[in-house]
PDB file of all heavy atoms in Angstrom:
ATOM      1  N   GLU A 141     -16.027 -15.748   2.243  1.00  0.00           N
ATOM      2  CA  GLU A 141     -16.862 -16.770   2.658  1.00  0.00           C
ATOM      3  C   GLU A 141     -18.310 -16.271   2.837  1.00  0.00           C
ATOM      4  O   GLU A 141     -19.325 -16.954   2.493  1.00  0.00           O
ATOM      5  CB  GLU A 141     -16.350 -17.424   3.923  1.00  0.00           C
ATOM      6  CG  GLU A 141     -15.065 -18.202   3.725  1.00  0.00           C
ATOM      7  CD  GLU A 141     -14.428 -18.630   5.053  1.00  0.00           C
ATOM      8  OE1 GLU A 141     -15.083 -18.368   6.124  1.00  0.00           O
ATOM      9  OE2 GLU A 141     -13.343 -19.194   5.015  1.00  0.00           O
ATOM     10  N   ALA A 142     -18.424 -15.060   3.445  1.00  0.00           N
ATOM     11  CA  ALA A 142     -19.742 -14.479   3.643  1.00  0.00           C
ATOM     12  C   ALA A 142     -20.393 -14.092   2.363  1.00  0.00           C
ATOM     13  O   ALA A 142     -21.657 -14.104   2.198  1.00  0.00           O
ATOM     14  CB  ALA A 142     -19.605 -13.327   4.586  1.00  0.00           C
ATOM     15  N   ASP A 143     -19.584 -13.639   1.344  1.00  0.00           N
ATOM     16  CA  ASP A 143     -20.147 -13.160   0.111  1.00  0.00           C
ATOM     17  C   ASP A 143     -19.133 -13.406  -1.034  1.00  0.00           C
ATOM     18  O   ASP A 143     -18.245 -12.574  -1.233  1.00  0.00           O
ATOM     19  CB  ASP A 143     -20.448 -11.644   0.174  1.00  0.00           C
ATOM     20  CG  ASP A 143     -21.030 -11.127  -1.168  1.00  0.00           C
ATOM     21  OD1 ASP A 143     -21.320 -11.895  -2.044  1.00  0.00           O
ATOM     22  OD2 ASP A 143     -21.201  -9.859  -1.230  1.00  0.00           O
ATOM     23  N   PRO A 144     -19.175 -14.536  -1.736  1.00  0.00           N
ATOM     24  CA  PRO A 144     -18.208 -14.857  -2.777  1.00  0.00           C
ATOM     25  C   PRO A 144     -18.224 -13.814  -3.898  1.00  0.00           C
ATOM     26  O   PRO A 144     -17.229 -13.748  -4.633  1.00  0.00           O
ATOM     27  CB  PRO A 144     -18.756 -16.216  -3.261  1.00  0.00           C
ATOM     28  CG  PRO A 144     -19.487 -16.789  -2.124  1.00  0.00           C
ATOM     29  CD  PRO A 144     -20.160 -15.641  -1.482  1.00  0.00           C
ATOM     30  N   ALA A 145     -19.268 -13.009  -4.055  1.00  0.00           N
ATOM     31  CA  ALA A 145     -19.305 -11.970  -5.072  1.00  0.00           C
ATOM     32  C   ALA A 145     -18.856 -10.611  -4.572  1.00  0.00           C
ATOM     33  O   ALA A 145     -18.986  -9.620  -5.302  1.00  0.00           O
ATOM     34  CB  ALA A 145     -20.754 -11.864  -5.628  1.00  0.00           C
ATOM     35  N   ALA A 146     -18.247 -10.545  -3.382  1.00  0.00           N
ATOM     36  CA  ALA A 146     -17.856  -9.335  -2.792  1.00  0.00           C
ATOM     37  C   ALA A 146     -16.801  -8.619  -3.682  1.00  0.00           C
ATOM     38  O   ALA A 146     -15.891  -9.312  -4.305  1.00  0.00           O
ATOM     39  CB  ALA A 146     -17.263  -9.525  -1.430  1.00  0.00           C
ATOM     40  N   GLN A 147     -16.928  -7.311  -3.818  1.00  0.00           N
ATOM     41  CA  GLN A 147     -15.954  -6.511  -4.585  1.00  0.00           C
ATOM     42  C   GLN A 147     -15.000  -5.845  -3.568  1.00  0.00           C
ATOM     43  O   GLN A 147     -15.228  -4.784  -2.973  1.00  0.00           O
ATOM     44  CB  GLN A 147     -16.693  -5.411  -5.324  1.00  0.00           C
ATOM     45  CG  GLN A 147     -17.839  -5.923  -6.189  1.00  0.00           C
ATOM     46  CD  GLN A 147     -17.384  -6.224  -7.616  1.00  0.00           C
ATOM     47  OE1 GLN A 147     -16.504  -5.552  -8.214  1.00  0.00           O
ATOM     48  NE2 GLN A 147     -17.953  -7.276  -8.222  1.00  0.00           N
ATOM     49  N   VAL A 148     -13.842  -6.526  -3.386  1.00  0.00           N
ATOM     50  CA  VAL A 148     -12.871  -6.071  -2.352  1.00  0.00           C
ATOM     51  C   VAL A 148     -11.531  -5.829  -2.950  1.00  0.00           C
ATOM     52  O   VAL A 148     -11.002  -6.687  -3.742  1.00  0.00           O
ATOM     53  CB  VAL A 148     -12.758  -7.126  -1.205  1.00  0.00           C
ATOM     54  CG1 VAL A 148     -11.802  -6.689  -0.127  1.00  0.00           C
ATOM     55  CG2 VAL A 148     -14.132  -7.423  -0.614  1.00  0.00           C
ATOM     56  N   ALA A 149     -10.882  -4.725  -2.590  1.00  0.00           N
ATOM     57  CA  ALA A 149      -9.539  -4.442  -3.029  1.00  0.00           C
ATOM     58  C   ALA A 149      -8.631  -4.176  -1.798  1.00  0.00           C
ATOM     59  O   ALA A 149      -8.942  -3.270  -0.993  1.00  0.00           O
ATOM     60  CB  ALA A 149      -9.521  -3.167  -3.909  1.00  0.00           C
ATOM     61  N   LEU A 150      -7.633  -4.967  -1.653  1.00  0.00           N
ATOM     62  CA  LEU A 150      -6.629  -4.854  -0.573  1.00  0.00           C
ATOM     63  C   LEU A 150      -5.384  -4.261  -1.192  1.00  0.00           C
ATOM     64  O   LEU A 150      -4.647  -4.981  -1.865  1.00  0.00           O
ATOM     65  CB  LEU A 150      -6.365  -6.192   0.034  1.00  0.00           C
ATOM     66  CG  LEU A 150      -7.575  -7.025   0.516  1.00  0.00           C
ATOM     67  CD1 LEU A 150      -7.101  -8.391   0.995  1.00  0.00           C
ATOM     68  CD2 LEU A 150      -8.311  -6.293   1.684  1.00  0.00           C
ATOM     69  N   VAL A 151      -5.203  -2.985  -1.007  1.00  0.00           N
ATOM     70  CA  VAL A 151      -4.097  -2.321  -1.769  1.00  0.00           C
ATOM     71  C   VAL A 151      -3.246  -1.526  -0.755  1.00  0.00           C
ATOM     72  O   VAL A 151      -3.714  -1.108   0.274  1.00  0.00           O
ATOM     73  CB  VAL A 151      -4.661  -1.322  -2.832  1.00  0.00           C
ATOM     74  CG1 VAL A 151      -5.542  -2.086  -3.824  1.00  0.00           C
ATOM     75  CG2 VAL A 151      -5.469  -0.215  -2.208  1.00  0.00           C
ATOM     76  N   GLY A 152      -1.950  -1.401  -1.172  1.00  0.00           N
ATOM     77  CA  GLY A 152      -1.086  -0.557  -0.330  1.00  0.00           C
ATOM     78  C   GLY A 152       0.362  -0.971  -0.326  1.00  0.00           C
ATOM     79  O   GLY A 152       0.825  -1.675  -1.239  1.00  0.00           O
ATOM     80  N   ASP A 153       1.054  -0.542   0.674  1.00  0.00           N
ATOM     81  CA  ASP A 153       2.459  -0.844   0.911  1.00  0.00           C
ATOM     82  C   ASP A 153       2.493  -2.072   1.787  1.00  0.00           C
ATOM     83  O   ASP A 153       2.301  -1.982   2.959  1.00  0.00           O
ATOM     84  CB  ASP A 153       3.173   0.381   1.560  1.00  0.00           C
ATOM     85  CG  ASP A 153       4.617   0.095   1.873  1.00  0.00           C
ATOM     86  OD1 ASP A 153       5.071  -1.060   1.570  1.00  0.00           O
ATOM     87  OD2 ASP A 153       5.266   1.027   2.422  1.00  0.00           O
ATOM     88  N   TRP A 154       2.806  -3.233   1.159  1.00  0.00           N
ATOM     89  CA  TRP A 154       2.798  -4.498   1.877  1.00  0.00           C
ATOM     90  C   TRP A 154       4.127  -4.742   2.576  1.00  0.00           C
ATOM     91  O   TRP A 154       4.254  -5.697   3.434  1.00  0.00           O
ATOM     92  CB  TRP A 154       2.516  -5.618   0.908  1.00  0.00           C
ATOM     93  CG  TRP A 154       1.054  -5.554   0.486  1.00  0.00           C
ATOM     94  CD1 TRP A 154       0.538  -4.732  -0.497  1.00  0.00           C
ATOM     95  CD2 TRP A 154      -0.046  -6.386   0.872  1.00  0.00           C
ATOM     96  NE1 TRP A 154      -0.793  -5.003  -0.653  1.00  0.00           N
ATOM     97  CE2 TRP A 154      -1.159  -6.011   0.163  1.00  0.00           C
ATOM     98  CE3 TRP A 154      -0.148  -7.424   1.826  1.00  0.00           C
ATOM     99  CZ2 TRP A 154      -2.435  -6.579   0.377  1.00  0.00           C
ATOM    100  CZ3 TRP A 154      -1.351  -8.051   2.015  1.00  0.00           C
ATOM    101  CH2 TRP A 154      -2.495  -7.624   1.275  1.00  0.00           C
ATOM    102  N   ASN A 155       5.150  -4.027   2.319  1.00  0.00           N
ATOM    103  CA  ASN A 155       6.464  -4.260   2.938  1.00  0.00           C
ATOM    104  C   ASN A 155       6.979  -5.692   2.846  1.00  0.00           C
ATOM    105  O   ASN A 155       7.544  -6.178   3.794  1.00  0.00           O
ATOM    106  CB  ASN A 155       6.445  -3.735   4.403  1.00  0.00           C
ATOM    107  CG  ASN A 155       6.860  -2.308   4.511  1.00  0.00           C
ATOM    108  OD1 ASN A 155       7.804  -1.860   3.862  1.00  0.00           O
ATOM    109  ND2 ASN A 155       6.133  -1.558   5.353  1.00  0.00           N
ATOM    110  N   VAL A 156       6.641  -6.311   1.709  1.00  0.00           N
ATOM    111  CA  VAL A 156       7.120  -7.669   1.419  1.00  0.00           C
ATOM    112  C   VAL A 156       7.466  -7.693  -0.068  1.00  0.00           C
ATOM    113  O   VAL A 156       6.733  -7.150  -0.908  1.00  0.00           O
ATOM    114  CB  VAL A 156       6.060  -8.700   1.689  1.00  0.00           C
ATOM    115  CG1 VAL A 156       6.544 -10.105   1.321  1.00  0.00           C
ATOM    116  CG2 VAL A 156       5.566  -8.728   3.157  1.00  0.00           C
TER     117      VAL A 156
END
Side-chain angles (χ1 to χ4, degrees):
E141 290 171 4
D143 180 8
Q147 306 270 324
V148 182
L150 307 174
V151 301
D153 178 359
W154 290 76
N155 270 317
V156 179

